[in-house]
Amino acid sequence: MSAAPSRQGRTRRLGISGTRGVVGRCRDFSATALTDWEWLPPGGLARPPSDDPYAWDTGTDVEPDWDEERRAVAEDVLMVVSELVTNACLHAGGPLELVLDCTPERLRIEVSDASSRAPRPRPHPDPAVPGGHGLVVLGRLARAWGSMPRDSGKTVWAEVAAPRMP
């Protein structure tokens, strides 16, 4: 992993090396970006200590009525990041870079790896058997996804529609 991820504007890049703990690191990196872009509240995915949305400690800066749509979209984004990074680990020797590119309309998530082999869904994966469901999940959470060849490998990308912003 690179020492200092880019924090400029609405594009974030994270260089990655190895596969150990990479899914968690990429999720944490993404959650930080989503918090900075106000898709998540300052406390991240933390929720109130009870079902009462006003049960927050009033001494914090976290809004008690944080928009649930933004939180739900952010949770979908973190699942998409997990799926793309996991697939790169399982099928391509590990990811090389994670890029998040945020616009007012969408978030594009890109994971690059050294394999030139494009991802392809398994035909009719058995729901009772582990594995083979990642691209099905990706297809349901992303409004579009695909892959594009690079000089040394490929980039798998997915786009998630941005939540309504207040």
Side-chain angles (χ1 to χ4, degrees), residues 46-115:
R47 293 195 179 264
S50 73
D51 291 336
D52 178 2
Y54 298 100
W56 289 97
D57 175 1
T58 56
T60 69
D61 293 332
V62 177
E63 298 177 36
D65 59 348
W66 190 261
D67 183 354
E68 286 301 311
E69 179 193 358
R70 285 189 279 168
R71 185 187 304 274
V73 172
E75 289 173 352
D76 288 350
V77 166
L78 296 177
M79 177 65 77
V80 169
V81 167
S82 295
E83 290 298 334
L84 292 176
V85 172
T86 297
N87 282 350
C89 289
L90 293 174
H91 306 292
L96 302 173
E97 182 179 48
L98 167 66
V99 177
L100 306 174
D101 181 41
C102 185
T103 71
E105 296 80 33
R106 57 96 180 124
L107 175 68
R108 184 176 174 106
I109 304 153
E110 298 180 356
V111 175
S112 299
D113 61 54
S115 172

Side-chain angles (χ1 to χ4, degrees), residues 1 14 16 21-35 40 45 74-86 98 100 141:
M1 207 152 88
L14 178 65
I16 306 164
V22 71
V23 174
R25 290 189 314 243
C26 289
R27 281 180 56 92
D28 291 347
F29 174 82
S30 300
T32 298
L34 294 173
T35 301
L40 283 173
L45 288 174
E75 289 173 352
D76 288 350
V77 166
L78 296 177
M79 177 65 77
V80 169
V81 167
S82 295
E83 290 298 334
L84 292 176
V85 172
T86 297
L98 167 66
L100 306 174
L141 296 179

